Amino acid sequence: MLAAARLDFSIVREAAPALAHGALVTAEITAAGLAGSLLVGIGGAALRTSKSRAARTAAAAFTEFFRNTPPLVHIFFAYFALPAIGINVPGIVAATTALILYQGAIAIEIIRAGLEAVPAGQLEAADALGLGGLDRFRSVVVPQALRISLPALGNNLISLFKNTSLVSAIGVLDITGVAQDVIAQRLSSAELYLTIGAFYLLSVFAFSAVLRFVESRLARYAT
Amino acid sequence: MNAYLHALPALLGRGLLATVTISVASMLIALVGGFGIGLLRALRNPLVDAAAIAYVEILRGIPLLVLMFFVCFGLPQLGIGIDAAPAAIVALGLWGAANGAEIVRGALVSIPRGQSEAGVALGLGRIAVLRSIVLPQALRRTVAPFMSLFTAIVESSSLAALIGVKEILETVRVDIENDATLWTPLLLTALALYFAINFPVSLASQRLERKLG
Amino acid sequence: MTAEPRSAMVSLDGVRKSFGSHEVLKDINLSVAPGEVCCIIGPSGSGKSTILRCINRLVRIDGGEVTVDGLRVTDPTVKDVDLRRRVGMVFQQFNLFPHMSALRNVTLAPRKVLGLSAAEAEARALSLLGKVGLAEKAGSYPAQLSGGQQQRVAIARALALEPKVMLFDEATSALDPEITGEVLAVMRELAAEHTTMICVTHEMGFAREVGTHVVFMDGGSIVEEGPPRSVFENPQAERTKAFLSKVL
């Protein structure tokens, strides 16, 4: 109670428009990150399960490097590295690129595991029906692999969403960055952290609810 | 090159030491807290369950960075002053405990129901069933997930740089501020250090997972 | 050997196959005429299922020759798809596609392989599902069907390409005993329509009553073959006698 008395949420009301804009930036980075990491995941998983040993090794090395090093360091690296190789992009692009590579590396492993979990009998049945490689992949393997991968891909999306807060470290004004900005000008900080904490928490609950709904819809043909 | 060599001792000395200290201390909190909360949930008390679920969902639902900022900068406003390095350990430890609780709970529910039924049929009480039948079997299933939690904690310890703790990343950042040309070797060295700590643990965890699963 | 290669629907000639150092098929010779129901019996691990997989090239043979409706499986110019549209296969574990309704399981191959329109494929599938007694289950997913129903859908799926020969790989082994009857009834009906069938089976009653030809295999070789009556009632080889005395 004593602690609560020291909180004054009027500061949050004043900062609301800026925070709303920050939330939009967070949403944009999440959307771009999701699309990018899925592309990296699908492409990487294709390499990871290909016949070429070199491709498999390269994809495995990519995954192991990114998932064993901190995304925050990747963001700093991209922030310095992209301009250094002549790509002059805003910080938000560098940071999003770094997040795409990190979450994409995890997506590679998730999708690979999904592909390998499709039972051998399914491939045999598709072969026996004369389905060619592409039809077999598209109609039989991919839908089942996606269903198997979906819960883990959902967790990866939630992890991506939370990791977007790291972009504030290089000055991007996502919702965490905006909060930091406001805090730098005013003395109070607890109110703002509680507010953006609630924003992240409620968003994660919403993601989880949607994912659970999709999974339950797909469960009707679970075996 | 000279400037880089000049910067190395601090990075490999104090920086690396801080990263390892923060990670290990946080991991200890995660282990104790994770087992504490996970085992409390095995009691199936509705109140305890609700509190544990709330704790786990909240800690896993907000970005660790926001939690760390709150502990370091928000708590003093509420009368709880805390230094940066302890704040980083508290935030990482609380976050790790929430993840640890899920690991322990997952391992406990993965033990087939028939095992505890057999224990009850032998006349053992609930605590005895948990202690002598379920827990010993569940314990080995927590090892690989806790190892990968450790790698996540090591990665996340880099967030302490953003509250000013002089661990690996912050040491590098300060050096880059002094001499911007050093970013490539310094950041690559930082990445190599994190990789050197995490990769062996991650490999061992994957190998163990494959052996058990 | 009374085989006449020209009139045979399926013929195996000196077929050999090894997995690693394990020789699964040793010099197999077999001929199945159109309309014949060939039942392959024998202990587990005798190579029965591998024979079926050599016929539609799910397994590539190491030596010898297999001919299906005039197509040689070792001929590299013979495409997989040409072979497989002539050969329908039913699996022990059904292997229905779990993410597709019964109807889509049956229409998939006619659409993708034969290029039928959705409407044509659907009409064919509904008629086949009716034939196996499951017209009203067309919209159900495999998980919503019993094992016997799933296997009947799988038979309809295999028939949808109008194959020249049907392979049954222990089609009733994964089913509860009280359910095998509904699947065997469908197989009997196919036999009565003079469908060419090769059945690996543990159902001795079916082999005896429906089979026109029975093959006993052991250790990768054909030990004895002939009309059901002679194999079951007057077995010549000791190994056949020993096997039959155990299962009958």
Side-chain angles (χ1 to χ4, degrees):
Chain A
M1 290 306 108
L2 201 74
R6 299 175 199 230
L7 294 174
D8 175 10
F9 279 91
S10 65
I11 183 178
V12 173
R13 214 172 310 135
E14 288 165 34
L19 287 173
H21 188 264
L24 202 64
V25 172
T26 295
E28 285 167 7
I29 299 172
T30 305
L34 174 64
S37 64
L38 280 179
L39 283 178
V40 170
I42 291 167
L47 293 179
R48 196 81 170 73
T49 53
S50 81
K51 292 202 177 84
S52 153
R53 194 191 170 86
R56 286 202 308 269
T57 311
F62 177 87
T63 302
E64 293 299 344
F65 172 76
F66 275 98
R67 73 170 179 190
N68 282 305
T69 46
L72 183 57
V73 183
H74 306 153
I75 288 173
F76 277 112
F77 196 87
Y79 179 66
F80 288 108
L82 288 179
I85 55 172
I87 306 176
N88 266 311
V89 289
I92 187 173
V93 176
T96 305
T97 306
L99 283 178
I100 284 174
L101 294 178
Y102 178 75
Q103 310 291 156
I106 296 167
I108 290 176
E109 278 312 288
I110 294 171
I111 296 172
R112 178 191 65 89
L115 289 172
E116 286 175 357
V118 175
Q122 291 290 313
L123 303 179
E124 217 178 27
D127 282 342
L129 286 171
L131 295 177
L134 191 61
D135 280 328
R136 182 177 92 161
F137 190 65
R138 205 171 43 192
S139 305
V140 178
V141 177
V142 169
Q144 297 190 60
L146 275 184
R147 203 193 100 67
I148 298 166
S149 310
L150 193 68
L153 287 175
N155 287 338
N156 199 35
L157 167 62
I158 289 171
S159 149
L160 161 71
F161 173 69
K162 290 188 290 176
N163 280 340
T164 58
S165 61
L166 302 178
V167 304
S168 64
I170 57 165
V172 176
L173 290 177
D174 71 320
I175 192 168
T176 302
V178 170
Q180 290 286 86
D181 239 25
V182 175
I183 289 161
Q185 294 160 24
R186 313 283 290 264
L187 285 175
S188 296
S189 65
E191 299 87 350
L192 280 156
Y193 290 131
L194 289 173
T195 304
I196 66 170
F199 161 78
Y200 284 109
L201 191 60
L202 293 177
S203 306
V204 167
F205 286 167
F207 280 135
S208 305
V210 170
L211 286 164
R212 265 201 304 274
F213 174 74
V214 173
E215 278 167 38
S216 71
R217 287 304 301 271
L218 293 176
R220 67 192 159 152
Y221 58 70
T223 35
Chain B
M1 196 62 204
N2 238 343
Y4 169 67
L5 290 179
H6 195 71
L8 262 189
L11 180 53
L12 296 178
R14 277 186 39 204
L16 179 60
L17 184 68
T19 290
V20 171
T21 309
I22 291 172
S23 301
V24 170
S26 308
M27 185 67 192
L28 288 177
I29 298 175
L31 278 169
V32 173
F35 272 100
I37 299 168
L39 289 176
L40 277 178
R41 291 204 60 185
L43 298 179
R44 303 240 175 83
N45 176 314
L47 272 178
V48 173
D49 266 11
I53 291 172
Y55 175 80
V56 169
E57 292 297 318
I58 291 173
L59 271 282
R60 281 161 46 106
I62 60 173
L64 180 55
L65 181 59
V66 174
L67 177 66
M68 206 177 273
F69 281 155
F70 180 77
V71 172
C72 186
F73 304 125
L75 285 186
Q77 188 188 339
L78 305 179
I80 307 170
I82 185 167
D83 283 341
I89 293 172
V90 167
L92 261 174
L94 292 176
W95 175 81
N99 287 290
E102 281 301 278
I103 291 174
V104 173
R105 192 182 67 89
L108 288 176
V109 301
S110 76
I111 305 303
R113 209 194 176 79
Q115 290 294 308
S116 46
E117 279 174 353
V120 172
L122 289 172
L124 297 179
R126 211 163 51 166
I127 303 288
V129 166
L130 184 62
R131 198 178 52 200
S132 30
I133 297 175
V134 179
L135 201 52
Q137 299 183 60
L139 214 51
R140 53 202 301 248
R141 297 195 187 181
T142 66
V143 178
F146 267 114
M147 286 164 85
S148 56
L149 177 60
F150 180 71
T151 67
I153 286 178
V154 170
E155 281 182 14
S156 303
S157 71
S158 63
L159 270 55
L162 303 180
I163 57 172
V165 179
K166 289 221 166 22
E167 41 66 81
I168 293 175
L169 180 59
E170 181 62 4
T171 310
V172 164
R173 249 161 50 109
V174 171
D175 286 335
I176 294 174
E177 259 167 44
N178 292 334
D179 182 351
T181 60
L182 287 181
W183 71 268
T184 322
L186 284 175
L187 280 174
L188 285 178
T189 309
L191 287 169
L193 286 176
Y194 286 111
F195 189 80
I197 301 172
N198 274 349
F199 186 56
V201 181
S202 161
L203 264 193
S205 159
Q206 287 173 48
R207 205 159 290 166
L208 196 63
E209 194 107 48
R210 227 169 295 141
K211 212 173 83 183
L212 293 180
Chain C
M1 283 289 111
T2 54
E4 296 154 48
R6 262 158 213 268
S7 67
M9 178 62 77
V10 176
S11 71
L12 289 82
D13 191 9
V15 170
R16 284 180 289 106
K17 176 69 194 175
S18 300
F19 292 121
S21 63
H22 178 54
E23 202 174 10
V24 193
L25 297 179
K26 306 166 183 167
D27 190 28
I28 298 288
N29 296 290
L30 180 67
S31 176
V32 180
E36 223 180 339
V37 177
C38 174
C39 291
I40 307 177
I41 62 172
S44 321
S46 55
K48 308 186 296 289
S49 292
T50 307
I51 287 191
L52 296 188
R53 283 167 171 72
C54 291
I55 293 170
N56 63 353
R57 223 190 236 164
L58 286 183
V59 162
R60 288 186 181 269
I61 59 178
D62 297 336
E65 186 61 88
V66 176
T67 311
V68 179
D69 191 29
L71 293 179
R72 292 165 47 225
V73 306
T74 54
D75 179 350
T77 65
V78 172
K79 293 198 201 107
D80 284 349
V81 59
D82 289 326
L83 201 56
R84 286 165 186 167
R85 56 192 283 180
R86 287 173 168 76
V87 181
M89 185 162 190
V90 177
F91 299 89
Q92 182 176 358
Q93 299 294 343
F94 331 136
N95 295 350
L96 285 182
F97 304 129
H99 56 299
M100 298 180 186
S101 65
L103 186 67
R104 274 206 62 210
N105 262 283
V106 183
T107 56
L108 180 68
R111 285 175 49 207
K112 303 282 185 190
V113 177
L114 303 183
L116 295 193
S117 71
E120 289 170 316
E122 212 158 283
R124 180 182 287 193
L126 283 172
S127 128
L128 285 169
L129 285 172
K131 184 183 173 116
V132 298
L134 290 172
E136 79 283 9
K137 296 287 187 188
S140 301
Y141 284 86
Q144 299 166 322
L145 300 173
S146 72
Q149 290 171 331
Q150 288 189 53
Q151 192 59 299
R152 281 145 67 200
V153 173
I155 293 174
R157 179 176 73 174
L159 288 169
L161 291 175
E162 299 184 331
K164 297 285 183 76
V165 54
M166 284 284 285
L167 309 178
F168 291 86
D169 185 13
E170 302 196 25
T172 59
S173 294
L175 299 172
D176 292 333
E178 71 271 20
I179 294 178
T180 58
E182 64 186 64
V183 172
L184 291 174
V186 171
M187 292 170 65
R188 277 172 207 271
E189 198 184 318
L190 290 176
E193 293 167 3
H194 304 293
T195 311
T196 309
M197 296 163 62
I198 305 179
C199 313
V200 168
T201 186
H202 291 302
E203 297 282 345
M204 295 305 147
F206 178 86
R208 176 184 265 175
E209 289 157 35
V210 184
T212 56
H213 191 77
V214 172
V215 174
F216 172 70
M217 280 191 72
D218 191 14
S221 306
I222 294 178
V223 177
E224 186 163 355
E225 63 178 314
R229 180 167 295 179
S230 73
V231 173
F232 282 108
E233 281 161 27
N234 191 19
Q236 301 298 307
E238 283 309 314
R239 276 191 286 174
T240 318
K241 288 179 194 164
F243 175 75
L244 289 174
S245 72
K246 263 185 273 178
V247 298
L248 288 180

